[in-house]
Amino acid sequence: MPNHKKQALKKVTTHQLQEMKKRGEKIAMLTAYDFSMAKIIDGAGIDVILVGDSASNVMAGNETTLPITLDQMIYHATSVVKAVARALVVVDIPFGYYQGSSGEALRSSIRIMKESGAHAVKIEGGSEVKDSVLRILSAGVPVMGHLGLTPQSIYKFGTYSVRAKEEVEANKLIEDAQLLQECGCFGVVLEKIPAELAKKVAEQLQIPVIGIGAGPDVDGQVLVMQDMLGINKEFKPRFLRRYADLHGVITGAIGKYIEDVKAKEFPNQQEKY
Ligand code: KIV
């Protein structure tokens, strides 16, 4: 079999994610926003890369995800897609590009898919976005849902604290998750909700449920890469595990570089032409 065909067979698809859920194999998902980091995490074997609108926070320095534009998301997604050989690439449709009408949602999705080459889109919300989800799916674009803490609604919630602790909100979340599955979503992200509720949703749904701050009993986990690599020191929610202290590593390396330049130790005889 030619090499490129073998490669193609190894690519992660939405169908494979469903199979992983059936076999009880957990799905590992991380965010990425640029070529270099996407290449590293794809090479490390991540299953799904999310070009999240958290780029608004971690790349652009905004306080919320609201300001990022569709053009900016497409720029990030295009850079990520170029780096990825295996992972499924999912792109957030940013705030203001799908809430207006299902036609707007479809146009935004088509732009993302056509211009970036990504494999799927993600949108926040349940019954409120049903028409948009259906319209996007009707064009053959895979959709991932996102329930619980939905950061695009931060000014409605007023805080980033745990969602769906009360029965009414928990029941609405369960109904929304069912609805997204019925519409044809290939997966759902549950953000910052009680672990017991997330477990219940994951047990009820046939599609994969990916958690962030939703406990261990879901089908996979997602984290923002800058947070789990310890680049961003200020963000310390309980659910976050830091797998590295890149802030320390980078600060140390840059400090050493500055020292070497000032001491005229860089470049040395071997480092010149
Ligand atoms: O934008 C993002 O990074 C996300 C994850 C937190 C799920 O939506």
Side-chain angles (χ1 to χ4, degrees), residues 40-52:
I40 296 174
I41 63 174
D42 184 59
I46 203 77
D47 299 311
V48 184
I49 293 181
L50 172 66
V51 183

Side-chain angles (χ1 to χ4, degrees), residues 125-226:
S127 54
E128 319 77 27
V129 294
K130 180 183 171 199
D131 291 348
S132 294
V133 169
L134 288 171
R135 191 86 188 268
I136 299 168
L137 284 164
S138 75
V141 177
V143 180
M144 180 169 234
H146 184 155
L147 299 169
L149 176 63
T150 46
Q152 293 179 12
S153 304
I154 186 57
Y155 291 115
K156 182 174 124 196
F157 298 145
T159 111
Y160 285 103
S161 54
V162 181
R163 303 300 315 174
K165 279 162 76 179
E166 306 303 330
E167 204 181 330
V168 176
E169 195 180 337
N171 287 340
K172 156 104 170 95
L173 188 142
I174 292 169
E175 279 166 24
D176 280 342
Q178 290 280 2
L179 178 76
L180 291 171
Q181 170 169 281
E182 278 158 29
C183 287
C185 285
F186 72 88
V188 185
V189 167
L190 295 182
E191 181 165 355
K192 227 171 170 188
I193 62 166
E196 271 310 302
L197 175 60
K199 178 173 190 251
K200 196 166 164 187
V201 174
E203 280 168 359
Q204 283 181 9
L205 296 194
Q206 273 88 54
I207 58 173
V209 171
I210 311 294
I212 171 164
D217 299 315
V218 286
D219 307 305
Q221 299 291 330
V222 57
L223 286 174
V224 169
M225 191 186 47
Q226 274 74 359

Side-chain angles (χ1 to χ4, degrees), residues 22-258:
K22 277 194 210 146
R23 319 193 269 277
E25 182 183 340
K26 299 279 186 185
I27 297 163
M29 174 164 160
L30 274 178
T31 64
Y33 319 99
D34 70 287
F35 178 85
S36 306
M37 293 307 286
K39 203 166 176 72
I40 296 174
I41 63 174
D42 184 59
I46 203 77
D47 299 311
V48 184
I49 293 181
L50 172 66
V51 183
D53 59 358
S54 50
S56 179
N57 310 101
V58 296
M59 300 304 285
N62 295 313
E63 231 175 81
T64 73
T65 58
L66 275 69
I68 199 157
T69 66
L70 186 60
D71 284 340
Q72 288 165 337
M73 287 302 296
I74 291 172
Y75 165 78
H76 287 297
T78 306
S79 313
V80 167
V81 168
K82 280 187 209 150
V84 170
R86 177 181 174 273
L88 184 86
V89 179
V90 182
V91 181
D92 266 333
I93 309 184
F95 176 70
Y97 295 92
Y98 63 93
Q99 293 92 344
S101 68
S102 61
E104 178 183 52
L106 179 62
R107 278 189 296 280
S108 302
S109 308
I110 289 178
R111 276 203 61 201
I112 289 172
M113 302 296 282
K114 234 185 201 326
E115 295 176 37
S116 75
H119 311 128
V121 298
K122 172 164 88 56
I123 66 179
E124 296 183 4
S127 54
E128 319 77 27
V129 294
K130 180 183 171 199
D131 291 348
S132 294
V133 169
L134 288 171
R135 191 86 188 268
I136 299 168
L137 284 164
S138 75
V141 177
V143 180
M144 180 169 234
H146 184 155
L147 299 169
L149 176 63
T150 46
Q152 293 179 12
S153 304
I154 186 57
Y155 291 115
K156 182 174 124 196
F157 298 145
T159 111
Y160 285 103
S161 54
V162 181
R163 303 300 315 174
K165 279 162 76 179
E166 306 303 330
E167 204 181 330
V168 176
E169 195 180 337
N171 287 340
K172 156 104 170 95
L173 188 142
I174 292 169
E175 279 166 24
D176 280 342
Q178 290 280 2
L179 178 76
L180 291 171
Q181 170 169 281
E182 278 158 29
C183 287
C185 285
F186 72 88
V188 185
V189 167
L190 295 182
E191 181 165 355
K192 227 171 170 188
I193 62 166
E196 271 310 302
L197 175 60
K199 178 173 190 251
K200 196 166 164 187
V201 174
E203 280 168 359
Q204 283 181 9
L205 296 194
Q206 273 88 54
I207 58 173
V209 171
I210 311 294
I212 171 164
D217 299 315
V218 286
D219 307 305
Q221 299 291 330
V222 57
L223 286 174
V224 169
M225 191 186 47
Q226 274 74 359
D227 300 338
M228 60 86 76
L229 291 180
I231 291 177
N232 173 6
K233 277 186 36 153
E234 290 82 40
F235 187 61
K236 295 180 193 154
R238 188 202 296 192
F239 69 77
L240 176 62
R241 185 180 297 178
R242 288 227 169 86
Y243 286 84
D245 171 23
L246 284 202
H247 189 282
V249 171
I250 294 170
T251 306
I254 291 172
K256 181 75 180 92
Y257 168 72
I258 295 169

